Amino acid sequence: MRAAEMAYTISDELEQGTELLELVRAGAAAGDLSGAQAVAESIPVRQVRDLALVGLVPEWARAGERDRAVALAEGIRYPHNWAWAWALLAKAVADGGDGDAALGFAARAEDEVSSCAVEGAERVLALLVEVAVTVGDHDRAVALADRVEALARSGESAVWAEPRALVVVLVREVLAGDLGRLDALLRRLPVPVVAAGTALCGWALDPDEDSAGPALLPSPLTAWDLAHVLDAVTASVDHAVALALADRAEALLETVGGRGHDVLLRSVTLLLARHGQTERAMALVELLGGDQSMARRAEVVGEVARSGDTGGAEVLARAITDCRAQDRALIEVVRELARRGNLRRAESLVHSINDRWAQGEALVAIVRATARHGDPDAAVMLARSIAYRATRARALAELAELAEPFQARRLAAQAVALDNWRTVLPVLERIVPQSLALIADRMTS
């Protein structure tokens, strides 16, 4: 409740709206949709209010209140949000098993995209691909994916979106083992024949520069895009597909430079580490120098640990000569050991970390795992042993999420005293049921 009260005292309307939007999302995640909607409707900035309401549309549908979801979608103020609201509703209904209704809502979303220039249209279309896949309409999914690709090739795709809608489409196909579209996008195309000196899409053509062979247009798929694909599929893609992706990424690395090269290099390195290709990953790390190389080694250790080889990960971590990078690597190993329930080994490893901040970061994972394994008192003692206040607050908030309501409120209050109310925002509604509705009513009456 204190969180909402503090948000309502913010004088800047945009800042207040942003804080309330986070409360709406937290309330919705906790299942208090009425309270979340009350807070959303109190947001003074109309665009932020729209964003909050759009996010609630699928939540009402998932809660079995489809009529209310439809009414909310129809009440969205700004036209550029309509397509997204209907697409989200279509996905929620499709996930619920009503394919016919989902296709109807998807058609409304597509109509909105087609009727006017909707900002982020490609993201809406990418979500509609997921709807078509969910309801089993493969031909429709391919047609929509082709439209997303066409937008990317035309340069009309919203490059600022992270990741681009094209990436969303590619991730789905790659996880299914289909690399056809990816390969087509990576293939550079010949420049159409035009008169000398003519500018084409920003490229000034000069026949003297083409003497060695035909000019090529760059692929519409950037190094950043491929990096996003790799990041999204690393944990779940088939091993053989992962290696095929790595081959394609390394080939692209030879043609790009700058920041895009570094981002893609990181992604392919972690993909290889996660799939047991440690030597190949470390060979790529060697291409970096100094601090970058050390930081990347720590990330590789984390992926090796998550692959299940915690022993090998610890050996790699011990081999890192930079103290800070070694601490970060050991944190990753501790986290994975804790997640797997090997608490004794995890705690032993924490004691080998010299930096107090790094020790605290590692202990947060052990605190949560200890509570999950039925020893909340020991978990609280571990949390209180953490040196840094903000880290200790995070650990207590983790415990509040797992504790019974009375104890949860005490732990949350301690976390707020150590840091701030944002630390306990994810568990606010579970600790104080209906708090969002009560505060919204009090503040807007």
Side-chain angles (χ1 to χ4, degrees):
M1 295 179 72
R2 179 61 177 161
E5 289 176 342
M6 290 176 67
Y8 279 112
T9 63
I10 297 173
S11 58
D12 182 274
E13 287 192 341
L14 181 57
E15 182 182 352
Q16 183 193 86
T18 302
E19 295 287 345
L20 292 174
L21 177 59
E22 292 303 314
L23 283 171
V24 170
R25 290 168 175 165
D32 182 12
L33 298 181
S34 295
Q37 185 167 335
V39 173
E41 290 171 345
S42 73
I43 295 175
V45 180
R46 288 176 175 174
Q47 172 58 12
V48 181
R49 186 192 315 162
D50 250 21
L51 291 176
L53 294 174
V54 166
L56 290 174
V57 168
E59 298 299 334
W60 278 116
R62 293 189 186 98
E65 298 281 353
R66 188 182 300 175
D67 290 343
R68 189 160 184 175
V70 171
L72 192 57
E74 290 175 336
I76 301 298
R77 179 182 180 90
Y78 291 113
H80 61 267
N81 292 320
W82 293 347
W84 194 237
W86 291 116
L88 288 169
L89 179 55
K91 184 63 168 67
V93 173
D95 290 341
D98 190 343
D100 291 339
L103 290 174
F105 294 132
R108 293 190 68 166
E110 195 170 349
D111 286 344
E112 293 297 339
V113 169
S114 302
S115 63
C116 62
V118 176
E119 185 178 6
E122 71 286 351
R123 290 188 297 144
V124 175
L125 292 173
L127 183 57
L128 295 182
V129 171
E130 300 299 322
V131 174
V133 170
T134 302
V135 302
D137 191 343
H138 178 72
D139 291 341
R140 189 67 187 148
V142 172
L144 288 164
D146 288 344
R147 289 180 63 184
V148 175
E149 180 184 340
L151 285 173
R153 288 190 181 277
S154 69
E156 295 177 13
S157 181
V159 179
W160 47 263
E162 296 290 349
R164 289 204 292 170
L166 179 61
V167 169
V168 177
V169 169
L170 290 171
V171 166
R172 182 188 66 79
E173 294 177 345
V174 166
L175 289 175
D178 180 3
L179 301 183
R181 190 185 304 274
L182 178 66
D183 284 339
L185 286 163
L186 287 172
R187 194 176 303 121
R188 296 198 297 169
L189 303 175
V191 175
V193 177
V194 294
T198 302
L200 178 66
C201 296
W203 293 74
L205 305 181
D206 187 337
D208 292 337
E209 296 178 359
D210 284 348
S211 56
L216 296 175
L217 284 174
S219 165
L221 189 75
T222 68
W224 290 81
D225 293 328
L226 186 54
H228 282 308
V229 173
L230 268 56
D231 292 343
V233 306
T234 288
S236 52
V237 73
D238 177 81
H239 179 73
V241 176
L243 297 185
L245 283 172
D247 291 340
R248 287 155 173 78
E250 289 193 69
L252 184 58
L253 282 172
E254 296 177 1
T255 69
V256 297
R259 180 62 176 153
H261 177 279
D262 294 344
V263 169
L264 181 56
L265 179 61
R266 174 184 181 274
S267 296
V268 69
T269 300
L270 300 184
L271 175 75
L272 289 167
R274 185 61 170 264
H275 287 269
Q277 304 293 302
T278 307
E279 291 185 6
R280 189 173 167 187
M282 285 301 188
L284 290 175
V285 170
E286 293 300 326
L287 298 176
L288 301 169
D291 293 342
Q292 268 193 309
S293 174
M294 289 299 176
R296 189 65 44 77
R297 286 173 184 271
E299 292 182 305
V300 167
V301 168
E303 290 300 333
V304 172
R306 283 184 282 276
S307 75
D309 185 7
T310 53
E314 183 178 349
V315 171
L316 287 172
R318 300 291 188 195
I320 296 175
T321 55
D322 180 84
C323 292
R324 294 176 65 182
Q326 184 183 87
D327 286 343
R328 287 197 295 272
L330 291 173
I331 289 171
E332 295 299 327
V333 180
V334 169
R335 285 172 176 167
E336 186 59 24
L337 288 169
R339 191 186 72 81
R340 292 172 178 268
N342 194 341
L343 299 181
R344 180 173 298 179
R345 186 174 160 208
E347 286 193 57
S348 175
L349 202 53
V350 166
H351 295 307
S352 68
I353 300 175
N354 294 319
D355 182 77
R356 296 178 73 193
W357 175 87
Q359 277 189 345
E361 286 295 314
L363 279 172
V364 171
I366 298 177
V367 166
R368 185 178 184 87
T370 300
R372 283 192 177 279
H373 284 77
D375 195 349
D377 292 337
V380 170
M381 289 182 63
L382 277 173
R384 288 175 177 162
S385 73
I386 294 173
Y388 284 82
R389 292 171 62 92
T391 313
R392 198 187 322 153
R394 280 182 22 236
L396 291 171
E398 294 270 3
L399 293 179
E401 185 177 354
L402 301 171
E404 294 299 320
F406 175 73
Q407 179 68 359
R409 285 192 288 272
R410 293 182 58 188
L411 292 167
Q414 293 170 28
V416 171
L418 286 168
D419 194 13
N420 60 57
W421 64 267
R422 293 180 184 83
T423 307
V424 299
L425 183 58
V427 296
L428 175 66
E429 187 62 25
R430 195 181 73 80
I431 295 171
V432 187
Q434 303 298 313
S435 60
L436 292 181
L438 291 171
I439 290 295
D441 180 67
R442 182 185 306 172
M443 294 300 175
T444 57
S445 61

